[in-house]
């Protein structure tokens, strides 16, 4: 008998990630036919962020459970990180590279993202991949054989929304979020902004929220544009957040703060709520309102990171 208090369901990222395990393990087996030791993913850790440490541990466990080699390289002096990345770029045994950010916490981090060779950039942070994302370009070549890579956390959230049936599979691919209104509370260059662009490129009306202002990402009335457009709705205010959230089908949070909580009273009955921050951005009361609640996304993100690695490896093989 269903509960009258909590009519919805909490969906764990671990259960969603399982849907990708068979696909990844089949790719591992195919690689081992050519490279018996299996693929190698290298992670660089040059900070003392406990969230990064936790992410590194998850990645290691996931890789080892699938027969993928994972090597965590700790760089105590961040000034030597660039050289370490370049060395991995040149190592033919390394198939994928990731860096646990933040390192310097400034524009230097954006530079380091570009140091990683695009052929090994499992996080999809290379400027070419970002340009394709924002311009709604899904392939690297005119023949559409080389698929572009998407940043792994935004991609994970897209896959979660597909799993939750928020995407309408009866519509043409690329328009499957048509009619959906989504609030994204985070506009970082790593997750929040690219996520808003991806969702809008798939047809949604997206309200991108940060501490300064609220922006609206859409493809225009009737999806008349091929890529998203951005409209500034003005300075952040709780009243504006309340208004847009009251109409939202999906609310996605990613505020890296233990004290931040999205106001439960702003959520409409039956909305879908997803949190990708390592901090808990929703009160427990969200379970009384949301139809579906995903409290974390980390394990799906790792699955997407591994899918990206195999896609990059396939692209390399095609271009040989």
């Amino acid at each position: 008998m269903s509960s009258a208090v909590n009519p919805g369901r909490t969906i764990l990222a671990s259960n969603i990630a399982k849907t990708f395990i068979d696909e990844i393990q089949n790719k591992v087996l195919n690689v081992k036919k050519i490279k018996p030791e299996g693929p190698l993913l290298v992670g660089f850790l040059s900070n003392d962020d406990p969230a990064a440490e936790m992410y590194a541990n998850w990645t290691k466990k996931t890789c080892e459970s699938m027969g993928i080699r994972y090597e965590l390289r700790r760089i105590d002096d961040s000034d030597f990180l660039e050289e370490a990345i370049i060395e991995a770029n040149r190592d033919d045994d390394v198939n994928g590279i990731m860096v646990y950010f933040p390192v310097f916490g400034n524009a230097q981090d954006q530079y380091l993202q570009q140091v990683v060779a695009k052929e090994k950039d499992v996080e999809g942070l290379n400027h070419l991949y970002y340009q394709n994302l924002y311009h709604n370009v899904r392939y690297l070549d005119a023949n559409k054989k080389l698929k572009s890579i998407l940043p792994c956390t935004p991609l994970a959230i897209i896959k979660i929304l597909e799993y939750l049936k928020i995407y309408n599979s009866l519509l043409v691919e690329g328009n499957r979020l048509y009619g959906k209104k989504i609030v994204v509370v985070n506009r970082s260059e790593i997750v929040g902004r690219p996520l808003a662009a991806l969702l809008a490129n798939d047809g949604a009306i997206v309200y991108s929220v940060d501490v300064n202002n609220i922006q609206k990402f859409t493809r225009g009335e009737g999806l008349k544009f091929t890529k998203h457009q951005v409209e500034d709705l003005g300075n952040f205010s709780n009243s504006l957040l309340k208004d847009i959230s009251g109409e939202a089908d999906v609310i996605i949070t990613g505020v890296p703060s233990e004290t931040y909580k999205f106001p439960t009273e702003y959520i409409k009955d039956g909305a879908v709520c997803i949190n990708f921050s390592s901090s808990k951005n929703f009160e427990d009361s969200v379970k009384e309102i949301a139809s579906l609640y995903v409290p974390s996304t980390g394990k799906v993100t790792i699955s997407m990171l591994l899918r990206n690695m195999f896609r990059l490896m396939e692209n390399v093989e095609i271009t040989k």
Side-chain angles (χ1 to χ4, degrees), residues 243-255:
D243 287 345
I244 61 175
S245 300
E247 298 181 351
D249 304 291
V250 182
I251 295 175
I252 303 170
T253 58
V255 180

Side-chain angles (χ1 to χ4, degrees), residues 200-238:
N201 284 345
D202 278 341
I205 295 172
V206 184
Y207 297 99
S208 174
V209 179
D210 77 1
V211 68
N212 297 313
N213 63 359
I214 296 178
Q215 295 180 340
K216 184 178 180 181
F217 288 54
T218 76
R219 275 175 44 206
E221 187 176 345
L223 307 184
K224 65 180 178 180
F225 301 114
T226 57
K227 61 180 283 291
H228 72 282
Q229 315 290 305
V230 180
E231 176 187 354
D232 197 332
L233 299 183
N235 294 337
F236 172 87
S237 70
N238 283 315

Side-chain angles (χ1 to χ4, degrees), residues 72-289:
L72 180 63
R73 299 182 183 177
R74 297 178 185 271
I75 310 296
D76 294 331
D77 187 340
S78 301
D79 289 333
F80 291 99
L81 179 56
E82 180 180 358
E83 287 75 13
I85 294 171
I86 292 171
E87 183 180 345
N89 285 342
R90 294 170 176 166
D91 186 348
D92 290 339
D93 191 42
V94 176
N95 301 108
I97 297 171
M98 62 183 301
V99 181
Y100 295 98
F101 291 105
V103 177
F104 296 97
N106 56 27
Q108 197 168 345
D109 282 5
Q110 295 177 13
Y111 169 74
L112 285 173
Q113 291 164 16
Q114 307 312 312
V115 173
V116 178
K118 68 179 184 300
E119 295 82 8
K120 298 184 180 185
D121 177 19
V122 296
E123 294 181 284
L125 302 179
N126 184 273
H127 70 89
L128 173 62
Y129 301 139
Y130 264 85
Q131 182 178 11
N132 284 350
L133 181 159
Y134 285 118
H135 288 268
N136 204 10
V137 176
R138 306 192 180 206
Y139 291 88
L140 298 173
D141 64 324
N143 295 325
K144 297 186 176 180
K145 290 183 178 180
L146 305 175
K147 290 185 177 179
S148 197
I149 302 301
L150 292 173
C152 51
T153 300
L155 177 59
I157 295 167
I158 295 296
K159 294 300 181 183
I160 288 169
L161 290 171
E162 289 178 352
Y163 178 90
L164 300 178
K165 309 297 184 186
I166 306 303
Y167 274 73
N168 187 344
S169 60
L170 297 177
L171 294 177
V172 174
E173 187 175 9
N175 292 347
R176 290 179 175 171
L177 287 179
Y178 181 51
K180 302 294 184 184
K181 293 184 178 179
I182 301 176
V183 170
V184 179
V185 187
N186 173 292
R187 203 183 303 135
S188 68
E189 295 300 327
I190 300 291
V191 185
R193 188 188 298 274
L195 174 61
L198 281 171
L199 296 170
N201 284 345
D202 278 341
I205 295 172
V206 184
Y207 297 99
S208 174
V209 179
D210 77 1
V211 68
N212 297 313
N213 63 359
I214 296 178
Q215 295 180 340
K216 184 178 180 181
F217 288 54
T218 76
R219 275 175 44 206
E221 187 176 345
L223 307 184
K224 65 180 178 180
F225 301 114
T226 57
K227 61 180 283 291
H228 72 282
Q229 315 290 305
V230 180
E231 176 187 354
D232 197 332
L233 299 183
N235 294 337
F236 172 87
S237 70
N238 283 315
S239 61
L240 181 54
L241 178 62
K242 183 177 181 180
D243 287 345
I244 61 175
S245 300
E247 298 181 351
D249 304 291
V250 182
I251 295 175
I252 303 170
T253 58
V255 180
S257 167
E258 293 295 335
T259 59
Y260 176 81
K261 303 295 179 187
F262 188 90
T264 305
E265 64 271 22
Y266 291 2
I267 305 169
K268 78 172 184 179
D269 286 356
V272 171
C273 295
I274 300 170
N275 174 52
F276 66 81
S277 171
S278 58
S279 303
K280 188 177 176 183
N281 284 172
F282 289 102
E283 301 279 8
D284 286 341
S285 55
V286 70
K287 298 174 185 178
E288 301 170 16
I289 302 295

